[in-house]
Amino acid sequence: MAGIYESKLSGRVDFPARARAVASIPSLLSVQGFLRTHAGRQDRPGICDFTLGNPHQMPQEAYVAALRDQLEPRNEGWFAYKTNGVEAQNAAAGSLQRLLEMPFEPDDIHLTTGGFTAIAMALKAVADPGDEVIYSLPPWFLYEPIIVEAGLVPVKVRINPETFDPDLMAIASAVTPRTRVVIVNSPNNPTGRIYPETLLVKLAAMLELASERNGRRIYLLSDEAYNRIVYDGARFHSPAQYYPYTLLAYSYGKTHLAPGQRIGYLALPPTMPDRDAMRDILGGLQVAMGWIYPNALLQYALPALETFTIDVGQLQRKRDRLFEELTGMGYQLHRPEGSFYLFVRSPVADDEAFTESLANHDVFVLPGVLFETPGFFRMSLTANEEMVERSLPAFAEAIRLAGTG
């Protein structure tokens, strides 16, 4: 029997264009497909998982203690709504002051649920729908979904293949009157490159000239999730030290190898003009984007979390072991200066086929096609030391079968 109301619309749901655009991004579909394909296999005992920056050993006791110490309520409002906790802001600002030797102020620290939302908030703070965002390939593979979800236009340029540095000429050529943001990521995921001070100075000068030419400010978004993960005593430099219109995104999930505990921030450098107005903009977005403040427990723990990091020396030892062994087998790769990753040239052109051959030996890596850079694969140094040792025969066999060993 027909219902009282007969709809004349088809049964097909007409999803909005922006949602459909996000859901159909090729790089995102590739990542989701890869993870679905390998999800069941990666849980088997004895596998070697180099795919994501996930922990493969128990967390540090200091990290657990920092959370445990704040779990017992001190008052009735202990777990009430939290905005930017003053003690957390103070601790983060102090840490940045020491790292970058700049007088960051606590009010310039806008706490977020990880670096992911800090990046999303930064884009929405300075760009209108239709504006363009430039970033370099290979990228962190979630830049494009964040950009498209904000109604912005991703503009992709290649890095310098010899140095793994951003190609300043390519960035300059990509700037148009619609350019509003340039993203840089150092130490870089996936290459492990720390961008040199000289390059950042040139980038700042280029953006200043381009902003003057456009008659509209171009902002620099500095993704610094790994700025505490550096090797060989390297000195990290932030673009915020050279370009006042820099938005600095940071994540504690990398510093403590606890990506499931979502806390980070977006920081404004003390040199940024009109900083008070930008603070108001960011405060509004923290609420409007879904109350993206970190939960109470993590904010209370943040001053303690700022006093230590994961064992960077252990990461460096795994980097050295893998670098020496892989290069000895015939693989081509740069020695990473920071971050969690090795970005290795595949010994065959089809990096997906090569990573599948490794998976057949229970060694899992990410193919370069997921980073829009075919012909490479990425390995995460967060694999434990037993995995590193177990993987070496498989890497040797894979390159032998590829005919280049």
Side-chain angles (χ1 to χ4, degrees), residues 169-357:
M169 292 288 289
I171 294 173
S173 297
V175 172
T176 76
R178 294 297 299 177
T179 301
R180 190 61 164 167
V181 181
V182 173
I183 300 176
V184 294
N185 171 215
S186 173
N188 185 261
N189 171 13
T191 67
R193 176 68 167 156
I194 296 176
Y195 299 153
E197 183 178 19
T198 52
L199 181 140
L200 298 177
V201 171
K202 291 177 182 177
L203 175 62
M206 185 199 78
L207 293 178
E208 186 62 40
L209 288 173
S211 297
E212 291 177 5
R213 185 173 62 249
N214 282 354
R216 188 171 184 241
R217 176 57 55 187
I218 299 173
Y219 284 85
L220 201 158
L221 174 52
S222 183
D223 179 358
E224 300 184 11
Y226 301 94
N227 66 15
R228 272 74 159 177
I229 314 298
V230 300
Y231 305 126
D232 304 309
R235 175 70 188 277
F236 168 76
H237 294 281
S238 170
Q241 296 168 283
Y242 313 103
Y243 191 63
Y245 296 92
T246 296
L247 300 159
L248 189 161
Y250 179 68
S251 169
Y252 291 90
K254 309 303 183 185
T255 306
H256 299 291
L257 192 50
Q261 296 292 335
R262 307 298 299 164
I263 183 166
Y265 59 73
L266 188 71
L268 306 178
T271 52
M272 178 180 283
D274 299 322
R275 212 155 82 256
D276 288 343
M278 183 64 79
R279 289 171 179 171
D280 292 340
I281 294 291
L282 295 177
L285 285 169
Q286 285 174 293
V287 175
M289 289 175 64
W291 203 267
I292 60 172
Y293 304 100
N295 69 44
L297 184 64
L298 285 169
Q299 291 205 41
Y300 296 142
L302 192 144
L305 297 180
E306 278 287 8
T307 64
F308 65 95
T309 69
I310 55 171
D311 187 347
V312 177
Q314 183 189 51
L315 288 173
Q316 182 170 322
R317 289 191 294 274
K318 288 186 286 186
R319 178 207 65 171
D320 292 343
R321 176 72 170 148
L322 284 165
F323 180 84
E324 297 301 331
E325 289 293 328
L326 293 179
T327 54
M329 295 172 192
Y331 290 93
Q332 299 177 39
L333 64 153
H334 286 249
R335 188 188 295 268
E337 299 158 311
S339 81
F340 287 164
Y341 309 107
L342 297 173
F343 200 54
V344 187
R345 186 172 292 279
S346 172
V348 297
D350 188 343
D351 54 281
E352 291 182 285
F354 185 75
T355 57
E356 186 60 30
S357 72

Side-chain angles (χ1 to χ4, degrees), residues 357-381:
S357 72
L358 286 171
N360 290 335
H361 290 84
D362 288 336
V363 174
F364 296 89
V365 301
L366 293 183
V369 69
L370 301 187
F371 303 89
E372 302 181 67
T373 307
F376 287 82
F377 62 89
R378 192 196 77 173
M379 302 173 59
S380 174
L381 295 171

Side-chain angles (χ1 to χ4, degrees), residues 82-91 106 109 111 293-294 299-300:
K82 293 295 290 183
T83 56
N84 292 308
V86 174
E87 292 82 2
Q89 287 179 300
N90 286 336
I109 305 296
L111 299 168
Y293 304 100
Q299 291 205 41
Y300 296 142

